[in-house]
Amino acid sequence: MNGPARIFRLERFFPYLVRRYYRATSGTVSRIYKSRFGLSVHEWRTMAVLNDYEPLSAKEIVARSSMDKVNVSRAIASLKRDGRLERHVDPTDRRRALLRLTGQGKRVMRELVPLVLAAEQRLLHGLSEAEIAQLESLMRRVEQNAERVLADEAPAASDTHEEARA
Amino acid sequence: MNGPARIFRLERFFPYLVRRYYRATSGTVSRIYKSRFGLSVHEWRTMAVLNDYEPLSAKEIVARSSMDKVNVSRAIASLKRDGRLERHVDPTDRRRALLRLTGQGKRVMRELVPLVLAAEQRLLHGLSEAEIAQLESLMRRVEQNAERVLADEAPAASDTHEEARA
DNA sequence: AAAATTAAGTTGCAAATGAAACCAAGTCAA
DNA sequence: TTGACTTGGTTTCATTTGCAACTTAATTTT
């Protein structure tokens, strides 16, 4: 952490530490769904959300996954093309799509879920339950600070919008 | 955290929490150097490293910033084009470039550093020194787990390589 | 001394992504 | 009833990024 002298050093800069942490952790998971099923991160997250709740609209997927609607739209299109997701127009509002996984999509998730859970376990290996709870709690507080900062300086900014920088 | 029943829920999946955390925190910093100077994250990090040590080779920048060499190469090219960095061939090894910030590059950093440090402070607002130390420590441990996992399964993988998935 | 290999960095190409514009459908005010 | 506005989602275009191949230079092996 940069001290009161406020000397800047990249290797002590908190957002940089977060980025390295994120890069390392995400790599352990993304390689699984990418190598096994050629899934992008947005496709994986879309399927993960639909695995829990169905049917959902694209907007609901956006809300439950913190992804940008453009990325959700593209993920839906490619998952549909690959036969992993089916799409029906909502008769009560024909702008809206009702989305659910196909049988094939569900089989993919049945195979992937144990693998990604095992990867998660390896990430957290050696940490006690208390430490994990502490880490998640501290991350949440920082995230809330960040959202407050982003909201203060850009009133129109959607909080589901994604950025990939630090 | 997913419990012993191993039910998968995206909103409880640790890599997903890390990704949201990362997105939020990085957004608060990247907008600063992007809006002020049109800098990409790779350009910013390249400048940040050169601000501390100079001259450096591209390879040394790669090592000190955890960026991929292709991205460093591109950042160097565009910073040079914008007059913020200068590049000299190392006479002892003409494959190698010796890189340093120009006067203009240093002025950019003089303006940016207080701003990004202030952003960092806002991210960590409300956390005690002990909590920040605890958060960084726990992040480091998880990152080490991740690197171990990545190293076990891909012996040829470079640990400086970047990925942006979860 | 010459060939093979390794190193430092760059470039090409395809895919992914971000920003903005667009379209069809639904709602609301006049 | 009609026009204006909002909503849900898609598409376009430009930029960024990842992967692999390439180039030049240095070192190592034969």
Side-chain angles (χ1 to χ4, degrees):
Chain A
M1 200 358 219
N2 296 287
R6 298 180 74 83
I7 295 165
F8 181 85
R9 263 194 169 19
L10 185 67
E11 67 263 27
R12 293 295 309 135
F13 186 49
F14 186 75
Y16 170 72
L17 300 180
V18 174
R19 183 182 175 95
R20 273 188 22 199
Y21 167 64
Y22 160 66
R23 296 290 189 185
T25 59
S26 73
T28 66
V29 174
S30 62
R31 68 208 288 181
I32 296 173
Y33 49 73
K34 196 177 184 86
S35 65
R36 285 298 186 113
F37 293 101
L39 288 171
S40 71
V41 61
H42 299 116
E43 290 163 340
W44 148 253
R45 279 158 75 174
T46 296
M47 293 182 76
V49 169
L50 287 173
N51 209 42
D52 289 336
Y53 314 89
E54 65 171 16
L56 286 178
S57 64
K59 171 179 175 137
E60 287 165 331
I61 294 173
V62 165
R64 290 177 182 279
S65 66
S66 304
M67 288 192 288
D68 185 63
K69 63 174 183 172
V70 175
N71 290 328
V72 171
S73 177
R74 287 168 173 152
I76 288 168
S78 64
L79 289 170
K80 181 166 174 290
R81 188 161 53 239
D82 294 339
R84 291 166 169 162
L85 171 152
E86 63 188 20
R87 182 180 184 290
H88 301 285
V89 172
D90 184 342
T92 70
D93 182 343
R94 286 189 285 104
R95 291 173 298 179
R96 194 153 21 133
L98 295 176
L99 306 156
R100 41 165 63 87
L101 294 180
T102 59
Q104 187 194 346
K106 284 170 175 164
R107 282 193 290 279
V108 165
M109 289 306 292
R110 264 201 298 281
E111 182 171 338
L112 276 180
V113 164
L115 297 176
V116 300
L117 285 176
E120 183 191 42
Q121 289 304 314
R122 288 195 291 271
L123 277 180
L124 300 171
H125 180 257
L127 271 65
S128 67
E129 292 290 323
E131 287 173 322
I132 294 169
Q134 173 85 330
L135 175 55
E136 290 185 357
S137 172
L138 291 167
M139 278 165 47
R140 194 176 311 119
R141 284 165 65 189
V142 171
E143 190 176 329
Q144 283 162 356
N145 283 348
E147 282 164 2
R148 200 170 301 124
V149 167
L150 291 169
D152 282 349
E153 296 178 28
S158 161
D159 58 25
T160 61
H161 190 40
E162 289 191 321
E163 283 282 359
R165 316 270 185 254
Chain B
M1 196 7 212
N2 296 287
R6 299 180 74 80
I7 295 166
F8 181 85
R9 260 192 171 21
L10 186 67
E11 67 263 29
R12 294 295 307 135
F13 185 49
F14 186 74
Y16 170 72
L17 299 179
V18 173
R19 183 183 176 91
R20 274 187 19 197
Y21 166 65
Y22 161 66
R23 295 290 188 184
T25 60
S26 73
T28 66
V29 174
S30 61
R31 66 207 290 182
I32 296 173
Y33 50 74
K34 197 177 183 84
S35 65
R36 285 299 187 112
F37 294 102
L39 289 170
S40 71
V41 60
H42 298 116
E43 289 164 340
W44 149 254
R45 276 156 76 175
T46 295
M47 293 182 77
V49 169
L50 287 173
N51 210 41
D52 289 337
Y53 315 90
E54 65 170 15
L56 287 179
S57 65
K59 171 177 175 140
E60 287 165 332
I61 294 173
V62 165
R64 288 179 184 277
S65 66
S66 306
M67 288 191 287
D68 184 62
K69 65 175 181 172
V70 175
N71 290 327
V72 171
S73 176
R74 287 168 174 153
I76 289 168
S78 64
L79 289 169
K80 183 167 174 287
R81 186 162 54 238
D82 294 339
R84 292 165 168 164
L85 169 152
E86 64 188 19
R87 183 179 184 290
H88 302 284
V89 172
D90 184 342
T92 69
D93 183 342
R94 287 188 287 105
R95 291 173 297 179
R96 189 147 31 125
L98 294 176
L99 306 155
R100 42 168 60 89
L101 294 179
T102 58
Q104 187 195 346
K106 285 169 176 164
R107 282 193 290 278
V108 165
M109 289 306 293
R110 264 201 297 281
E111 182 171 337
L112 277 180
V113 164
L115 298 176
V116 301
L117 285 176
E120 182 190 43
Q121 291 303 312
R122 288 194 292 271
L123 277 180
L124 299 171
H125 180 258
L127 270 66
S128 67
E129 292 289 323
E131 287 174 321
I132 294 169
Q134 171 86 331
L135 175 55
E136 290 184 357
S137 171
L138 291 167
M139 278 166 47
R140 194 176 309 120
R141 283 165 65 189
V142 171
E143 188 178 330
Q144 284 162 355
N145 282 349
E147 282 164 2
R148 203 170 299 126
V149 166
L150 292 170
D152 282 350
E153 295 176 30
S158 162
D159 58 23
T160 61
H161 192 39
E162 289 191 322
E163 284 282 358
R165 316 267 187 259

